[in-house]
Amino acid sequence: MSNGPSPRRLGAALLGLLQGHVALLAHELEDQRNQALRALLLGGLCLAFALLLLIGLSALLLIVYWETHRLAVATGLCLFYGFGLLGCGTWLLLSLRNAAAPFSASLEELQRDREQLLP
């Protein structure tokens, strides 16, 4: 009888370790999916209501100033919407660049296991 672990025990230990990692990865995938769907739904609703509000306010301004300053109001609205687009686009790009890496918990767990298994 040898003093070292049997291949069967070693295989079972590795399988158990792999099962834990797969379970963690599945949990993180589900969380990411739920978060993405919620953000997509709420973002779409916010966008729809914001567009309806902007259309209504733009029409109101054009109606109020139709006789005196219709070209100035239309130009001002276009400039306002253009600057808003640039600001939001910049903000979106910055937030995407600074976002946390997905599956960070799984990667950290794999790194800890590698450090424990390798001499």
Side-chain angles (χ1 to χ4, degrees), residues 23-64:
L24 179 62
L25 182 64
H27 180 70
E28 285 183 339
L29 276 173
E30 185 178 351
D31 285 346
Q32 288 291 328
R33 184 198 62 183
N34 290 339
Q35 183 180 4
L37 287 176
R38 187 179 312 115
L40 185 63
L41 177 66
L42 290 175
L45 287 172
C46 287
L47 180 63
F49 285 122
L51 286 175
L52 289 172
L53 178 65
L54 283 176
I55 290 169
L57 290 175
S58 298
L60 178 66
L61 282 174
L62 285 172
I63 289 169
V64 168

